[in-house]
Amino acid sequence: MSDVRVAGTGLTPFGNSPERTSRDLFAEASIAAFEDSGVPREDVEGVLYGNFMGELSEHQGHQGPLMAEAAGVQAPATRYESACASSGAAVREAVKRIRTGEDDVLLVGGAERMTNLGTAGATEALAIAADDLWEVRAGVTFPGAYALMARAYFDEFGGEHEDLAHIAVKNHENALSNEKAQYQSAIEVSDALEAPPVSEPLGLYDACPISDGASALVLTSESYAEEHDLEAPVAITGTGQGGDRMALHDREYLARSPAAREAGDEAYADAGVSAGDVDLAEVHDCFTIAEVLALEALDLEPIGEGITAARDGRTTADGETPINLSGGLKAKGHPVGATGASQIAEVTDLLAGDHPNSDHVADATTGVAHNAGGTVASATVHVLEVLE
Amino acid sequence: MSDADDTVADAGFDDWLDAAEDGAAYYLECPEDHTSLPPRRVCPDCGSTDLEELALPDTGEVRTFTVTHVPTPAFEEDAPYATAVVDFGPVSLTGQVVGIDVGDVETGLTVELEISVSETTGERVIGLRPA
């Protein structure tokens, strides 16, 4: 089976740009991805685009062809929606299409415009990733859902808010050199502990920000990369997807993510690697507790022990397995539909030595990207490797 | 929100709230003894369409909870409020904890179902009151 080359990556700055439309954001990301790849637009055979709340934030459905047009690509285009895992799902479908030989070049990515909704509006829009009738109507917000999981984790395995604070501190530290990150500011553990509560036990510094931004990737087949002599040393060698019941209360475990485990196991097997081979990972830390659940689901930490990983230095930039060297969703930002493909971009750049934090992982050859939707009723995991 | 949104019920959901208000809350069980809620046509565990309605136990126990300070607009005047996942035995439910100071809610608290209303919108809410 052919590996899928990441020929080009492109990101807009993530942050607060309420006036910018998602078509403008995606255009910028795609220009960067095409320039990085050296692939001409006319070779693109399809556009796979992730977006979650476009109907609510921009009154815009049918965004696939709109984004192809914005990117200057004349090819069929489809929007993928899987809440916060939207562009992770788009990447996975692109990988499958290239592997079957149906396509050689695809433009994949995503965008989200959120800050124009304001905090209350964005909170409402994000909440629709949960079961509207049986969760949201009882007052469950997105932070609220993760707070339910955080308390369940503390009750089952121990841990405290201060452990979570160390995750926020780590991810802010990692973002200091990432010029695309929303927050390039260091925080202290005390800042996180003293921040106003959002949904107890989670506070403001446990939550990713509300962000605008876009991501784009040019993915090609192995044969196309060779024929065109592309400089594309990093390949997506494994893909996996998992699913779970929509509502948290319908799950056997409140403090685990079986969908992410399913996705991770599939992706590892697909790539022929194991968790022990992973040198770095970008995981979906929409909330600090989510990073803990992700590490455990990916077997990067034993169940019940991920809570101390940041505090004890195992996942910091100079730890055994650096996690979220980009700053993660927490500090880099989380323009929902852009996030999954942005993680692939970050892992690619880290492995290729093109990332401001690449020096921390100079010998790394294997990276993982973990993208989750809702309270992880959807998850995609991709394994990326340096092939040359 | 349009008039239509205000008047059209959500089948399954509103029916279940009506039943709960009448003290007749229920869950579903298939011949393989898989239990589920909300009301549905197909057992999510095995695909059976032979689902029987059984009475929801009177009380449940809080599995986890959170006190939300930053709500959606629909709960603006309710905040801070406590939301809990409650284990009723055969099924679990998510609801708002009512009739108790939010600071006194704890894991393991025994609660009973009581359909409440949002202070912000007047819409019905699945409420859980200490038993």
Side-chain angles (χ1 to χ4, degrees):
Chain A
M1 192 153 37
S2 166
D3 288 318
V4 175
R5 297 287 180 139
V6 185
T9 64
L11 300 174
T12 65
F14 285 7
N16 191 16
S17 56
E19 73 290 348
R20 291 189 69 186
T21 60
S22 53
R23 70 185 84 181
D24 178 54
L25 293 164
F26 188 67
E28 181 186 337
S30 72
I31 289 168
F34 279 120
E35 281 178 358
D36 185 39
S37 70
V39 173
R41 284 178 173 76
E42 56 266 29
D43 283 1
V44 173
E45 294 159 284
V47 178
L48 297 87
Y49 169 79
N51 175 265
F52 174 45
M53 59 177 69
E55 286 84 354
L56 299 177
S57 66
E58 299 192 287
H59 199 251
Q60 184 66 63
H62 204 187
Q63 294 194 7
L66 186 68
M67 295 305 159
E69 185 183 325
V73 170
Q74 295 176 37
T78 307
R79 169 185 165 188
Y80 288 81
E81 191 275 300
S82 197
C84 312
S86 293
S87 59
V91 169
R92 174 169 163 78
E93 294 307 314
V95 167
K96 294 200 293 189
R97 275 170 62 170
I98 291 172
R99 280 179 169 182
T100 63
E102 185 166 327
D103 297 299
D104 282 307
V105 181
L106 294 170
L107 176 65
V108 192
E112 207 76 61
R113 182 183 186 184
M114 301 173 71
T115 66
N116 63 327
L117 290 166
T119 300
T123 300
E124 182 175 35
L126 286 164
I128 68 171
D131 185 329
D132 182 66
L133 294 176
W134 296 88
E135 293 185 297
V136 179
R137 291 200 197 183
V140 172
T141 61
F142 193 37
Y146 275 89
L148 292 168
M149 296 162 88
R151 190 182 306 276
Y153 187 99
F154 291 160
D155 283 349
E156 186 171 355
F157 303 115
E160 56 183 353
H161 194 202
E162 190 166 343
D163 295 314
L164 298 178
H166 281 271
I167 296 169
V169 168
K170 166 180 75 69
N171 292 348
H172 272 260
E173 181 76 24
N174 288 344
L176 286 176
S177 57
N178 184 354
E179 62 181 16
K180 299 292 173 66
Q182 188 158 355
Y183 296 137
Q184 292 167 59
S185 54
I187 62 164
E188 305 285 334
V189 167
S190 57
D191 295 327
L193 292 177
E194 291 162 13
V198 175
S199 242
E200 296 174 50
L202 302 183
L204 192 59
Y205 281 78
D206 290 298
C208 66
I210 293 163
S211 318
D212 308 302
S215 58
L217 308 167
V218 177
L219 302 183
T220 76
S221 64
E222 189 89 3
S223 59
Y224 181 96
E226 282 169 10
E227 281 163 24
H228 295 79
D229 204 20
L230 298 183
E231 192 186 333
V234 177
I236 299 174
T237 57
T239 179
Q241 184 170 6
D244 205 341
R245 295 289 177 78
M246 182 79 161
L248 199 55
H249 60 238
D250 283 330
R251 310 220 189 119
E252 183 178 356
Y253 301 110
L254 295 178
R256 298 185 196 185
S257 302
R261 175 167 294 279
E262 187 183 345
D265 287 348
E266 186 182 3
Y268 289 152
D270 191 27
V273 303
S274 66
D277 298 318
V278 175
D279 298 311
L280 61 95
E282 290 288 309
V283 306
H284 196 97
D285 60 324
C286 47
F287 298 93
T288 47
I289 185 65
E291 179 165 313
V292 176
L293 301 178
L295 294 179
E296 296 180 6
L298 294 170
D299 275 337
L300 298 175
E301 286 283 327
I303 297 285
E305 295 181 24
I307 187 75
T308 59
R311 192 172 187 166
D312 292 348
R314 298 193 294 280
T315 52
T316 51
D318 295 314
E320 297 155 39
T321 311
I323 300 296
N324 286 328
L325 279 170
S326 68
L329 284 58
K330 173 71 196 82
K332 183 184 70 169
H334 181 30
V336 171
T339 288
S342 81
Q343 296 172 313
I344 303 283
E346 301 281 4
V347 173
T348 299
D349 294 349
L350 283 161
L351 291 176
D354 297 335
H355 194 281
N357 276 334
S358 283
D359 287 350
H360 293 290
V361 284
D363 300 325
T365 59
T366 304
V368 162
H370 157 280
N371 189 202
T375 46
V376 205
S378 305
T380 62
V381 172
H382 289 94
V383 176
L384 288 86
E385 294 180 78
V386 181
L387 292 188
E388 56 189 48
Chain B
M1 200 177 274
S2 70
D3 288 347
D5 287 336
D6 291 337
T7 53
V8 176
D10 289 301
F13 179 70
D14 281 302
D15 301 335
W16 192 87
L17 293 187
D18 290 345
E21 283 180 332
D22 292 341
Y26 57 89
Y27 66 97
L28 304 175
E29 188 175 273
C30 78
E32 300 288 324
D33 297 334
H34 300 133
T35 56
S36 68
L37 195 69
R40 61 184 84 224
R41 292 179 186 274
V42 184
C43 173
D45 289 307
C46 67
S48 171
T49 54
D50 181 13
L51 301 178
E52 185 184 3
E53 291 181 5
L54 298 172
L56 188 76
D58 290 336
T59 60
E61 196 174 278
V62 172
R63 290 171 72 188
T64 184
F65 70 96
T66 180
V67 177
T68 294
H69 296 262
V70 182
T72 63
F75 288 92
E76 204 170 4
E77 290 161 32
D78 296 70
Y81 59 87
T83 309
V85 172
V86 172
D87 180 3
F88 278 91
V91 292
S92 289
L93 261 180
T94 299
Q96 205 175 102
V97 187
V98 298
I100 181 174
D101 189 280
V102 293
D104 293 333
V105 179
E106 55 186 7
T107 303
L109 182 72
T110 300
V111 295
E112 59 190 9
L113 192 62
E114 179 188 283
I115 303 306
S116 167
V117 290
S118 158
E119 288 176 28
T120 312
T121 63
E123 295 284 328
R124 292 190 293 182
V125 172
I126 293 173
L128 302 156
R129 178 178 291 276

